[in-house]
């Protein structure tokens, strides 16, 4: 009974915190549209060797896969349907470089477990959403980038005293997203933890607040966003225990598109767009802009 009362109280606090983000109350820190760069749309750009680009040209706009529930990275405003965050900015920079006005992008929310299929069956032209580059995934899709390097970490309730790092997870219920690298790492390297998988991290966070799980694990970038939005209820603990280089997912055979995106990333890092975009989005969760990692233009295989 006491447990239930505590859970209900926490949910009430969560709802209140969420409500405070709405109009008319003190704003939760969010992406600042007026500080975002305007990306120069390339004129006369052609990429005839890319089947993806050619199909988009015929269609008239790009279709880009993203996340919609990751604060400061990829977030959809439920009222307006507008997407914002660092990943969204990367998607827009790439669109401008490919000759498509970023305003015309059709964003589609795709969960971690469905990214490879979405790219393989042509549902999306490219994907920008905390997507770790690794060899296993490279067998199914291509990756431009990396454009950022995150690390796996842990999110717990603010009053948690027993969990400070992954070694403390024995017997604990740990939530992550199906099809994600953090879930795989917990299952492989911390077999005493009790993994719980949902489609999205926001469902994991709801379960953490309502005491259904003891921790949420994924990239520090994602977890810091949730913690920044509810600092009284949630905290990120310990040090990152993996390297998660973020790439832009493309259909596997489309090397022309992949290399064009690598070039575009390099150009936007050089001209300051990358840093400006970071400062106005992901930077708001508290970490100053790092140096962007070197782009890895790997050969076609
Ligand atoms: N970067 C990790 C991954 O690609 C976790 C974040 C996510 O699920 O998008 O699996």
């Amino acid at each position: 009974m006491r447990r239930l009362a505590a859970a209900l109280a926490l949910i009430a606090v969560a709802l209140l915190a969420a409500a405070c983000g709405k109009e008319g109350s003190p704003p939760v820190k969010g992406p600042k549209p007026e500080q975002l760069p305007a990306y120069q749309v390339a004129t006369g750009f052609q990429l005839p060797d890319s089947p993806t680009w050619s199909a988009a040209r015929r269609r008239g706009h790009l279709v880009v896969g993203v996340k919609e529930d990751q604060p400061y990275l990829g977030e959809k405003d439920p009222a307006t349907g507008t997407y914002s965050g660092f990943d969204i900015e990367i998607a827009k920079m790439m669109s401008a470089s490919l000759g498509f006005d970023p305003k015309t992008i059709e964003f589609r929310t795709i969960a971690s477990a469905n990214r490879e299929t979405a790219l393989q069956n042509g549902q999306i032209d490219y994907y920008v959403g905390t997507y770790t580059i690794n060899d296993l995934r490279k067998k199914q899709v291509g990756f431009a980038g990396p454009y950022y390097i995150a690390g796996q970490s842990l999110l717990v309730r603010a009053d948690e005293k027993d969990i400070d790092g992954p070694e403390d997870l024995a017997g604990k219920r740990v939530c992550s997203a199906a099809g994600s690298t953090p879930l795989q790492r917990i299952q492989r390297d911390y077999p005493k933890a009790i993994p719980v998988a949902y489609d999205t991290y926001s469902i994991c966070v709801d379960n953490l607040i309502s005491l259904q799980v003891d921790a949420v694990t994924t990239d520090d970038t994602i977890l810091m966003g949730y913690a920044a939005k509810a600092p009284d209820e949630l905290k990120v603990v310990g040090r990152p225990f993996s390297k998660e280089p973020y790439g832009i997912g493309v259909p596997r055979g489309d090397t022309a598109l992949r290399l064009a995106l690598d070039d575009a990333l390099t150009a936007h890092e050089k001209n300051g767009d990358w840093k400006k975009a970071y400062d106005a989005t992901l930077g708001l969760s508290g970490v100053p802009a790092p140096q962007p990692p070197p782009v890895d233009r790997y050969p076609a295989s």
Side-chain angles (χ1 to χ4, degrees), residues 67 112 115 129-132 137 180-182 201 218-219 222 246:
K67 295 288 181 69
S112 296
R115 293 182 280 213
T130 60
Y131 198 8
T132 295
R137 287 175 177 169
S180 72
T181 50
Y201 300 109
T218 184
D219 305 338
I222 303 173
Y246 289 170

Side-chain angles (χ1 to χ4, degrees), residues 1-76:
M1 202 54 212
R2 266 190 60 202
R3 224 177 116 90
L4 182 68
L8 289 176
L10 266 166
I11 293 168
V13 171
L15 289 175
L16 198 70
C20 286
K22 304 265 163 61
E23 250 171 19
S25 37
V28 176
K29 282 188 293 175
K32 298 185 178 148
E34 67 286 355
Q35 286 167 17
L36 291 171
Y39 309 111
Q40 184 88 45
V41 182
T43 49
F45 181 87
Q46 297 287 331
L47 200 61
D49 290 348
S50 162
T52 311
W53 184 91
S54 304
R57 177 89 315 170
R58 287 193 293 275
R59 191 192 303 128
H61 66 273
L62 288 161
V63 183
V64 180
V66 293
K67 295 288 181 69
E68 68 170 32
D69 64 340
Q70 299 185 170
Y72 307 121
L73 289 156
E75 213 177 358
K76 184 176 171 181

